[in-house]
Amino acid sequence: MPLIDIAVPDIGDFKDVAVIEVLVKPGDSVKAEQSLISVESDKASMEIPSSAAGVVKEIKVAVGDKVNQGSVIVVLEAAHPNTVRAEPVEVPAGASTGSARTEESGASTGSARTAVGAPTDMAADLECELLVLGAGPGGYSAAFRGADLGLKTVLVERFPTLGGVCLNVGCIPSKALLHVAAVMDEVKHFADLGIAFESPKVDLGKLLAHKNKVVGKLTGGLAAMAKMRKVTVVQGSGEFADAHHLKVSTADGKTQIIRFAKAIIAAGSEAVKLPFLPADERIVTSTGALQLRQQPKSMLVIGGGIIGLEMGTVYSTLGARLDVVEMMDGLMQGADRDLVKVWQKMNAHRFERLMLKTKTVGAEARPEGIRVMFEGLDGSKSEGLYDLVLQAVGRTPNGKKLAADKAGVTVGERGYIPVDAQMRTNVPHIFAIGDIVGQPMLAHKAVHEAHVAAEVAAGDEKAQF
């Protein structure tokens, strides 16, 4: 079998980079693109992949050695007599090799930059220079910026309208309802000023129509902007088929294959569902709560975060008495404690019970309501019966629902995708942005990341988050 010298490829503007870990040993079988060593400069850490498959015959470097482009790392015995050595993988200069950011650890991962070969010959229904998976604030911003920079862009979204969770079932509809609730609450105070109004009569159907009209106006505007930029929108659920193809299952049951040169993953997150809660239409996530199916007299909010308290405020104004249960010692963890104290004082009238340092340990659906059991950290037990239960215990990223492994993209155990300062994943031509790369899960953060990713994809190697 022929012997192959595996050398350090072009790693950009890096000289005398220190070897910090050797990942293989003599006798190991390695695949093409498998990482061989980890190196670290004063700017970044990275892993150097093998440009061919074979068996390690000799290690040419040790921890502490300094390497440059062309330095031989290992000697391989080729896996097959006809093996042709692959061309070294170019890693773009600048920050593109930077350590990955990941929510899993809260620290730099020194993540490998996976080298991916040329696209396969899979038949494609549609081809583009830039594919964006997910049309939330991050996704549509990435698609629009990519198109503005001259890239032929395809935007894939599983819902019928653009805007993702934020515009369709998140920030925008909840704020539309909160505005109505704020006006209703303000009117109540006018009695103290000598101006009294009758108690409001709530028509849930008309209120829901108002909320939907607000959402429709904004999502319709996005569709017009996409059309104006000649962004092709494909409705369906996307999964990677390989590093250059996405398989989209469309709403009509068909499958469409999209071939791309570069991709930006903006697939977002979804509400966490507690496994011990029974399946019942009276138990909802924030998405279900926004549908205004009922006007409950009693409501439980599981989770004292902003999402749960927003929807609790709406339903409270519509006539519900609230119980809130939170495992931590305060509401809205992460927010300024002084501000939370003011909010809590102003809204104390909404709560029947505010149960802090308390876990929800069980629930059962009964004809008269949802019976929920609680347990305090001190061991105390209690329960309650509710017309409506809102589970608002956080959101989980959709990283594990994309078949990203087929594209070689690393996905953490919790579903987050590590990226570097230029929003690149470990696969150089695939980027990730928004909720799926970690906290904070905020729209404006996703938009900024989107602009960086699109600009780097279009060739601007100076753009960074």
Side-chain angles (χ1 to χ4, degrees):
M1 298 290 183
L3 297 180
I4 303 175
D5 290 341
I6 305 297
V8 177
D10 180 3
I11 55 175
D13 186 23
F14 295 93
K15 305 294 183 184
D16 297 324
V17 184
V19 177
I20 59 173
E21 187 177 7
V22 177
L23 304 173
V24 295
K25 61 183 183 298
D28 285 354
S29 294
V30 299
K31 300 177 181 179
E33 324 307 349
Q34 180 176 332
S35 298
L36 300 176
I37 62 172
S38 297
V39 297
E40 186 175 55
S41 72
D42 58 346
K43 298 179 182 178
S45 60
M46 69 198 92
E47 292 179 8
I48 304 299
S50 176
S51 55
V55 177
V56 177
K57 301 299 291 183
E58 185 179 358
I59 306 289
K60 290 288 190 177
V61 295
V63 173
D65 287 352
K66 300 292 180 69
V67 297
N68 293 283
Q69 180 182 349
S71 300
V72 176
I73 305 170
V74 302
V75 177
L76 290 185
E77 183 178 71
H80 188 276
N82 295 324
T83 296
V84 178
R85 182 174 177 179
E87 290 298 317
V89 177
E90 290 190 6
V91 182
S96 62
T97 56
S99 300
R101 294 188 293 113
T102 173
E103 176 67 16
E104 321 287 65
S105 63
S108 167
T109 63
S111 171
R113 187 52 57 76
T114 299
V116 178
T120 63
D121 292 330
M122 181 181 293
D125 302 296
L126 189 62
E127 295 189 7
C128 63
E129 294 172 284
L130 179 64
L131 170 85
V132 180
L133 179 56
Y140 68 71
S141 296
F144 294 171
R145 179 60 62 91
D148 289 344
L149 293 173
L151 299 177
K152 182 181 179 182
T153 303
V154 171
L155 179 58
V156 177
E157 170 56 50
R158 59 182 173 140
F159 293 118
T161 55
L162 304 183
V165 168
C166 183
L167 267 70
N168 288 284
V169 290
C171 321
I172 299 304
S174 64
K175 300 308 180 290
L177 294 178
L178 278 168
H179 172 70
V180 173
V183 172
M184 291 175 66
D185 289 337
E186 185 68 22
V187 166
K188 294 177 183 177
H189 299 305
F190 272 64
D192 298 332
L193 306 179
I195 302 173
F197 295 90
E198 293 183 6
S199 298
K201 297 179 181 179
V202 178
D203 185 326
L204 286 182
K206 287 186 177 180
L207 182 57
L208 182 63
H210 162 70
K211 183 262 294 182
N212 291 340
K213 183 179 179 180
V214 171
V215 171
K217 186 174 182 179
L218 292 176
T219 56
L222 288 177
M225 293 172 70
K227 185 176 181 180
M228 182 174 61
R229 287 174 164 84
K230 295 182 171 56
V231 172
T232 300
V233 177
V234 177
Q235 184 193 347
S237 299
E239 290 187 351
F240 286 95
D242 60 30
H244 285 279
H245 292 87
L246 188 81
K247 181 174 68 173
V248 181
S249 300
T250 58
D252 57 5
K254 297 180 180 179
T255 299
Q256 191 169 3
I257 301 297
I258 304 173
R259 176 188 172 103
F260 58 86
K262 296 179 181 179
I264 298 175
I265 301 171
S269 63
E270 66 178 9
V272 173
K273 295 181 180 180
L274 298 173
F276 56 83
L277 294 180
D280 191 285
E281 63 179 9
R282 296 167 293 179
I283 300 176
V284 297
T285 63
S286 56
T287 299
L290 286 166
Q291 295 175 9
L292 300 177
R293 295 194 188 101
Q294 58 174 302
Q295 195 172 349
K297 296 298 182 184
S298 60
M299 178 179 180
L300 171 67
V301 178
I302 303 176
I306 291 173
I307 293 175
L309 294 175
E310 281 186 341
M311 292 312 305
T313 297
V314 170
Y315 277 91
S316 168
T317 300
L318 296 179
R321 291 294 295 167
L322 297 180
D323 280 2
V324 176
V325 57
E326 166 60 50
M327 290 182 61
M328 305 298 288
D329 60 357
L331 300 177
M332 290 183 275
Q333 295 293 316
D336 186 288
R337 290 297 91 193
D338 290 336
L339 294 179
V340 173
K341 188 181 299 183
V342 171
W343 183 92
Q344 193 168 330
K345 182 177 180 180
M346 292 178 62
N347 289 274
H349 65 282
R350 302 185 187 278
F351 305 123
E352 196 78 50
R353 288 189 295 173
L354 183 56
M355 299 172 279
L356 301 178
K357 296 192 286 188
T358 302
K359 297 186 296 184
T360 304
V361 294
E364 61 180 7
R366 294 183 172 182
E368 65 272 21
I370 305 297
R371 176 175 173 262
V372 185
M373 289 70 78
F374 311 106
E375 183 177 316
L377 295 185
D378 59 0
S380 59
K381 299 182 185 300
S382 59
E383 63 179 55
L385 188 69
Y386 305 97
D387 299 327
L388 184 67
V389 175
L390 168 62
Q391 46 183 330
V393 292
R395 301 187 64 82
T396 183
N398 291 323
K400 293 188 175 183
K401 298 182 176 181
L402 313 174
D405 57 308
K406 294 182 180 178
V409 174
T410 297
V411 180
E413 290 185 5
R414 294 170 57 195
Y416 291 101
I417 297 178
V419 294
D420 65 15
Q422 292 187 310
M423 312 316 298
R424 291 184 192 265
T425 68
N426 60 302
V427 178
H429 67 277
I430 300 180
F431 303 76
I433 62 172
D435 292 1
I436 212 163
V437 305
Q439 300 285 356
M441 291 183 174
L442 299 173
H444 63 274
K445 163 184 168 280
V447 169
H448 184 60
E449 291 172 340
H451 291 166
V452 170
E455 288 163 12
V456 176
D460 180 3
E461 286 297 338
K462 294 182 180 179
Q464 289 192 26
F465 181 72

